[in-house]
DNA sequence: TCCAACACTTAGTATGCGGATT
DNA sequence: AATCCGCATACTAAGTGTTGGA
């Protein structure tokens, strides 16, 4: 049960401990503690939060009484800060750069004075239009970039306007539905107790979903199996059943179905490039009309215009619903959002849309509700669109704005770590964790979701203590990615966490029982409008990147600088705990590198033997140098020799075959088998040499070989060993770290642009094509001196 | 006042492709 | 040419945070 703490010695790499047992064990308890809310008042000395109380009462009890004075203070503060924020607008201007960029940071229209805009705000629309026109003219000096550039500026400027209106005109072609189900050929059937079963098509499709996944980890997961099977039986029942009564998954044999889909896969793979190209062209043609839309008259790419196909839900971690049937989405479930007085995309023949809206306060083109969790799915514009770009830009500007407040915020929460009011103390502690460890906010989760947590939802079992001030965090975060860190924390934070864990709290209880994200975020708003927990992650990630980049010396080759950039990127990825599963091939490829290193060492040792034979005195004066490397035990050497010889033989054989094929094609005579034998002799000689060395410890020395030459060769090999070893280390260090997530979401792209320009590393090396498109705004606005 | 619904960002994984390697 | 390998992209699940209605 208490696995959370017991497996602290498990290497990071094998994260994702099956949390199944945990879910079961704690589910109920979790619920009982989750009440929260009342804290919103901040000054509830009388706290007395009903249920929550239970667990926490004791801990809290003593402290609250005197706290009222404090609370008042807090209120004052918040009032003050919000006022001051308004007074001192746009602290973001900083950059000095790009004059066009600043200016924004609008008048902080009270929280949501704009919520009014729900009803198609005609007036606003016009204003916006006008605005962008004029500004557009100002900047139009550099026309060369034509429409692209124009677009660029447009969204830039729009930014300073009403942010609740996303568009004034919107034209698009709706969504693309997945193709209908293709029935299995009649000879491919599910077998039940060895007997082929005739299934209604609807049920066959579902069986096929499972059959195709037979060899995946999912299909071996009990929860997945049972969820699938229940839904499968239900569908089967609904569409009339089958002659054979299907009752147990164990009696179902999906192998034929699996093989059928494997076969199809193989066929697809085996297609010639020409065939593939043709298929792709057809596909592109089909998709073409859905790929673009027109937003305020500008062409923009649509992101996910395809309706998600049916299948089995692949929940991450131990998701209670994993394996359930994700149903086919019908047009009747899809709502379209489009400009008024705009042609409405035609639903598929014989079908209708659920609804057609003209809501210009949202950015989605279509939406539907998914049947597993009842979650809303959307079709949005692509990442390189103006809408996404604008909000990305705003996100980073918001994070930069935090620079101006962070000192005060840190000072405050450091002080509040000792606040007598438990709620404040918890809040301060949480802020510390969010700020220093870059934890997520950690909202409440339901029973029917995977048991994962963030800061506010941390529980008793997720922290352990090592005096004097080390806290061991071990929990599953977003996507059930394990967060395991032993961190030295502020002494007071250490004390607090211990306090929050104190009896009567027990396994399953929340550490921060008087805090939740809304409460925390409300508090943060006092410092800066729009400040929420997630802003800290963005801020700290970008700040870290800036600091890391600043450390890089501007020298060496492009490649070296690129490596340094990646190292900086990696620091950020580690901060944010961005991981990836080690690829299947990883172990193998590390093994290969290891063998490579060993082979070089063997080679080197061989050269040393030669040297010793040529000049025995040398060995006497430095016997250690002539020792074989420790890893090179007899068994390893034998294995390596085998490997090398085999590899060489393969090479010779292959080459021989190839030549013959060529000759056959040119109708020349084939090389005789004897030729192959002759060639093979070389390899055999090589083998013999190795064997001789193994048996006698002596090696043959080529004519004209000198100690000096050997020395030079040995040096080269040693260098290769060092390099390859580094390469291996890099590979291993990288194997579990995902760099891309932070690059895409957290690191202000202008930092990368700055690096590119300042260090003369082509941006193409740092940003892939899609990222260059997504971050066009950054590429065009930052220079070598840009600072986060 | 509260919570569920909604909107949008953030996240890891599956897959296909293209370039390096042999 | 074949295979291997890593990267880019597609995909969609899983978060955060806001809002509107009971």
């Amino acid at each position: 049960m208490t696995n959370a703490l017991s497996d602290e010695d498990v290497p990071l790499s094998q994260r994702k401990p099956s949390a199944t047992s945990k879910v079961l064990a704690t589910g109920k308890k979790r619920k009982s503690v989750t009440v929260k809310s009342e804290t919103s008042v901040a000054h509830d000395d009388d706290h007395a939060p009903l249920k929550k109380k239970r667990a926490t009462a004791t801990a809290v009890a003593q402290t609250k009484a005197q706290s009222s004075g404090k609370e008042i203070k807090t209120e004052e503060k918040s009032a003050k800060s919000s006022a001051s924020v308004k007074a001192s607008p746009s602290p973001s201007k900083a950059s000095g750069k790009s004059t066009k960029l600043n200016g924004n940071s609008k008048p902080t229209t009270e929280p949501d004075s704009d919520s009014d805009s729900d009803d198609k705000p005609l007036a606003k629309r016009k204003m916006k239009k006008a605005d962008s026109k004029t500004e557009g003219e100002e900047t139009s000096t550099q026309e060369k970039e034509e429409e692209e550039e124009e677009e660029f500026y447009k969204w830039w400027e729009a930014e300073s306007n009403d942010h609740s209106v996303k568009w004034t005109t919107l034209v698009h072609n709706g969504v693309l539905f997945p193709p209908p189900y293709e029935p299995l050929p009649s000879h491919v059937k599910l077998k039940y107790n060895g007997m082929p079963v005739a299934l209604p098509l609807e049920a066959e499709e579902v069986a096929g979903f499972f059959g195709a996944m037979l060899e995946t980890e999912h299909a071996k997961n009990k929860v997945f199996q049972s969820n699938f099977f229940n839904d499968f039986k239900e569908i089967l029942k609904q569409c009339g059943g089958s002659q054979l009564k299907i009752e147990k998954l164990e009696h179902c044999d999906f192998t034929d179905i699996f093989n059928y889909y494997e076969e199809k896969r193989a066929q697809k793979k085996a297609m010639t490039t020409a065939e593939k190209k043709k298929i792709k062209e057809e596909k592109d043609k089909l998709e073409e009309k859905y790929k673009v839309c027109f937003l305020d008259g500008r062409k923009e790419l649509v992101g996910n215009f395809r309706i998600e196909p049916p299948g089995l839900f692949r929940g991450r971690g131990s998701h209670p619903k994993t394996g359930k049937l994700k149903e086919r989405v019908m047009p009747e479930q899809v709502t379209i959002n489009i400009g008024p007085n705009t042609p409405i995309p035609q639903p598929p023949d014989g079908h209708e849309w659920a609804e057609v809206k003209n809501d210009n306060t949202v950015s989605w083109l279509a939406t539907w509700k998914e049947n597993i969790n009842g979650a809303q799915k959307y079709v949005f514009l692509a990442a390189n669109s103006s809408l996404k770009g604008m909000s990305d830009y705003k996100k980073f500007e918001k994070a930069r704005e935090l620079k101006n407040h962070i000192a005060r915020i840190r000072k405050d929460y450091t002080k509040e770590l000792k606040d007598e009011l438990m709620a404040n103390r918890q809040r301060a502690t949480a802020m510390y964790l969010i700020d220093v460890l870059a934890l997520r906010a950690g909202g409440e989760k339901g029973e029917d979701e995977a048991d994962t947590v963030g800061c506010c939802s941390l529980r008793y079992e997720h922290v352990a203590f090592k005096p004097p001030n080390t806290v061991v965090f071990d929990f599953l975060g977003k996507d059930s990615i394990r967060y395991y860190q032993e961190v030295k924390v502020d002494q007071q934070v250490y004390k607090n966490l211990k306090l929050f864990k104190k009896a009567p709290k027990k396994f399953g209880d929340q550490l921060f029982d008087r805090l939740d994200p809304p409460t925390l975020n409300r508090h943060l708003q006092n410092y800066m409008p729009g400040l929420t927990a997630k802003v800290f992650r963005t801020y700290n990630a970008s700040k870290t990147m800036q600091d890391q980049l600043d450390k890089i010396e501007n020298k060496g080759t492009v490649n070296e600088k690129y490596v340094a950039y990646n190292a900086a990127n990696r620091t950020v990825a580690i901060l944010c705990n961005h991981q990836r599963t080690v690829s299947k091939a990883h172990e193998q490829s590390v093994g290969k590198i290891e063998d490579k290193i060993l082979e070089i060492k063997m080679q080197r040792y061989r050269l040393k033997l030669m040297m010793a034979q040529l000049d025995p005195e040398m060995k006497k004066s430095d016997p250690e140098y002539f020792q074989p490397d420790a890893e090179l035990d007899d068994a390893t050497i034998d294995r390596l020799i085998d490997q090398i010889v085999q590899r060489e033989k393969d090479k010779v054989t292959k080459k021989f075959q190839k030549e013959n094929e060529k000759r056959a094609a040119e109708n020349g005579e084939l090389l005789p088998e004897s030729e192959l034998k002759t060639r093979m002799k070389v390899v055999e000689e090589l083998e013999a040499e190795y064997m001789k060395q193994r048996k006698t410890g002596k090696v043959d020395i080529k004519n004209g070989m000198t100690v000096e030459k050997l020395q030079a060769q040995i040096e080269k090999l040693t260098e290769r060993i060092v390099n390859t070893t580094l390469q291996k280390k890099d590979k291993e260090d990288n194997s579990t770290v995902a760099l891309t997530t932070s690059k895409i979401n957290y690191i202000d792209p202008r930092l990368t642009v700055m690096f590119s320009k300042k260090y003369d590393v082509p941006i193409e090396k740092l940003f892939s094509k899609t990222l260059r498109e997504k971050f066009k705004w950054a590429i065009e606005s930052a220079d070598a001196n840009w600072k986060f």
Side-chain angles (χ1 to χ4, degrees), chain A residues 602-619:
Chain A
M602 203 168 79
Q603 242 178 301
R604 184 175 65 176
Y605 178 59
R606 198 175 156 78
L607 296 179
K608 286 182 181 176
L609 283 180
M610 289 182 194
M611 203 147 86
Q613 276 169 236
L614 279 177
D615 184 355
E617 285 307 310
M618 285 182 78
K619 187 170 178 182

Side-chain angles (χ1 to χ4, degrees), chain A residues 76 90 215 281 348 358 360 477 532 546 570 574 609 653 678:
Chain A
E76 273 173 359
S90 82
E215 295 297 313
E281 270 166 21
N358 315 119
N360 68 356
T532 60
Q546 170 82 259
R570 187 172 317 137
I574 289 167
L609 283 180
T653 317
T678 316

Side-chain angles (χ1 to χ4, degrees), chain A residues 392-427:
Chain A
D392 222 26
Y393 166 70
K394 278 194 205 160
K395 172 182 77 184
F396 287 115
E397 285 304 290
K398 185 62 75 184
R400 293 177 78 207
E401 199 184 336
L402 179 50
K403 279 190 305 184
N404 306 312
H405 306 278
I406 191 72
R408 181 164 54 104
I409 292 173
R410 286 177 176 156
K411 197 168 143 239
D412 285 358
Y413 74 59
T414 303
K415 191 167 164 218
E416 285 190 330
L417 287 173
K418 299 183 184 169
D419 202 293
E420 308 93 82
L421 188 64
M422 182 55 107
N424 288 350
R425 201 185 273 221
Q426 289 193 357
R427 193 180 63 202

Side-chain angles (χ1 to χ4, degrees), chain A residues 720-740:
Chain A
R720 273 180 66 196
I721 290 169
V722 170
N723 280 340
T724 318
T725 309
L726 270 180
Q727 199 185 326
K728 180 187 149 205
K729 183 179 181 318
D730 196 52
K731 191 163 211 159
E732 301 224 281
D733 288 352
N734 256 338
S735 65
T736 58
V737 182
L739 300 190
T740 54

